[in-house]
Amino acid sequence: MTAFARLMSGAALAATLAGTAPALWAETPANMLVVANRIDDITTLDPAETFEFAGGDVLRNVYGRLVNFDPLDFEAGYQPDLAESWEVSEDGRTITFTMREGVSFVSGNPVTAEDAEFSLRRAVLLNLTPWFILTQFGFTPENIEETIKADGNKLVITTDKAYATSFVLNCLTATIGSIVDKTTVMAHEVDGDMGHDWLKTNSAGSGAYSLVAWKPNESVTLQANPDFYQGTPAMQRVIVRHIAESATQRLLLERGDVDVARNLNPEDVQGITGAEGIKIQEELKGYLMYASFNQKIPELAKPEVLEAFKYLVDYDGMVNSFLKGQWTVQQNFLPQSYLGAVKDNPFSLDVEKAKALLGEAGVDGLELTIGVRDVQERLEIAQSMQNTFAQAGVKLNIEVGTGKQVLAKYRARDLDVYLGTWGPDYADPQTNASTFAYNPDNSDEAQNGGILAWRNAWDAGGLTEMTEAAVAERDTARRAEMYHEIQTRFREISPFAIMFQNIEQDGVRENVQNFTTGLAVSDASYWKVTK
């Protein structure tokens, strides 16, 4: 669909809604939350398989986990949830969780250690997209009977080696750590699928809500769990409507037909700022925008050149113009709100300093190609870089392609420069440290395309060993300090110019309180919402 066609489609839908709203819409009830969001990425609602954003929002509210985040205090980190406490063995390999008593699934079945055992084992056995979050601890189909086991009201997990306890627990807050009702799920097993087909479109959790219906590309409806152990949610029903166009989301929000609009573009945010009955709510998310430089190119491997490039990015200029409040300057690989995140942003546009550094490196008349996905904000960032690099005598040619085309070249180490985003896979600093600052084998044969350092042919300059030490550090405060040290060194020597962290700007009706999208570490939470 062309941009014009998309515009006309959105306008037509808006006009239709405006003309027929009295028959179709009403003010949202006081005990109902209606959210406009793009949810066409949902492909399944089985927590062992879900790895998409909108699906994560649903499951965050439907399932409990051993540990979880408090929607009103994410800075506190993981908190007890279905496990009320845990103990760690002296060797750091075994964590024993004591299950919370008196908690039931929506079915009425009690939540037990056996359910937790089943859920984690099931995720390993099904071997679906997010399974690496658990299997990185050495869990395999062959050893799970020994490494993940229930013992009375306790769940005992034993990892292949000692890891930071915070690393293990942070990973258990991920969607794949959801605890499902074994009895209900297995009652729907077909041909040994452990209830997988049934759970794609149904729920079997103990969370604040249960799934009423998921209509692909249309809506998700949740019903409050009156027996939720934290108390019955004020919002008895939550409806998330798939509304793709920003203009339509804005219209519905202004009319009071939705309580929250989650995909507003900067123009629509500006248009409703200050509007009666509406507030703009901003939350830092985990996405980082960065540029990286291929170390196979001799000139790009010179430290002075890499430093010069970091002074040729107009960070503030972009944030204060076309990025319009939806990105903020962040020059470190850990997003704000993560353990070990730092706020040091030492680089700013300084063409004269960059020229001097390039002169020290003996580099003159350099010409490079930057690969960019055909997305408006990325094209604008690339054009800004093209302009500022040219001021220092570096010609930056922009090569535009689909996401698939650009990523294929990037993963094959065939791009001079790459511009794109990276988002964390789970709520622990290892998720980003293990790709930006870790590369145990830099050879072409290693084919470690999931490691960004490898994609840029960078051996990580000694940070691999520091990252390995940080993920094993059991003292959480010391572990945070170690990531501070890694990022300080990373800023100095890496071939990455990390530029921005994403901000989600939501339009929210003023009477809605305590709605959160989960910041950078979790997903949307509905059970604390009030009107």
Side-chain angles (χ1 to χ4, degrees), residues 120-283:
L120 300 185
R121 287 183 179 182
R122 177 179 181 272
V124 173
L125 290 169
L126 287 177
N127 186 22
L128 298 168
T129 305
W131 81 315
F132 73 93
I133 297 174
L134 294 181
T135 58
Q136 65 185 328
F137 299 112
F139 304 135
T140 68
E142 293 74 29
N143 70 21
I144 52 174
E145 291 189 3
E146 295 301 320
T147 57
I148 304 173
K149 54 186 180 182
D151 181 10
N153 75 330
K154 299 181 185 298
L155 178 74
V156 183
I157 65 172
T158 301
T159 57
D160 56 348
K161 60 183 180 181
Y163 296 96
T165 303
S166 55
F167 175 35
V168 181
L169 297 182
N170 277 325
C171 287
L172 290 175
T173 67
T175 298
I176 201 169
S178 300
I179 306 305
V180 303
D181 181 345
K182 177 181 178 180
T183 300
T184 298
V185 170
M186 291 305 288
H188 294 89
E189 182 180 40
V190 176
D191 297 330
D193 73 345
M194 304 183 80
H196 173 54
D197 189 61
W198 182 80
L199 269 185
K200 287 181 178 182
T201 56
N202 294 276
S203 65
S206 61
Y209 292 89
S210 59
L211 178 67
V212 175
W214 163 42
K215 299 177 181 179
N217 303 324
E218 184 177 332
S219 66
V220 170
T221 302
L222 306 178
Q223 182 68 38
N225 174 8
D227 298 319
F228 181 46
Y229 83 91
Q230 295 183 34
T232 304
M235 297 297 100
Q236 289 295 298
R237 183 160 286 221
V238 176
I239 299 175
V240 184
R241 299 183 58 86
H242 175 60
I243 307 293
E245 299 291 342
S246 173
T248 309
Q249 289 196 13
R250 173 184 170 181
L251 173 66
L252 296 177
L253 182 69
E254 289 177 319
R255 291 165 52 85
D257 294 323
V258 301
D259 298 300
V260 179
R262 290 195 59 185
N263 307 112
L264 299 176
N265 62 33
E267 292 76 18
D268 283 321
V269 169
Q270 184 176 6
I272 60 173
T273 298
E276 183 178 356
I278 295 174
K279 57 188 175 183
I280 302 299
Q281 183 169 303
E282 297 185 346
E283 291 191 33

Side-chain angles (χ1 to χ4, degrees), residues 82 99 103 105 109-122 150 155 178-184:
L82 297 183
M99 302 299 292
V103 180
F105 291 105
N109 296 325
V111 177
T112 68
E114 185 179 352
D115 293 299
E117 173 195 85
F118 170 77
S119 300
L120 300 185
R121 287 183 179 182
R122 177 179 181 272
L155 178 74
S178 300
I179 306 305
V180 303
D181 181 345
K182 177 181 178 180
T183 300
T184 298

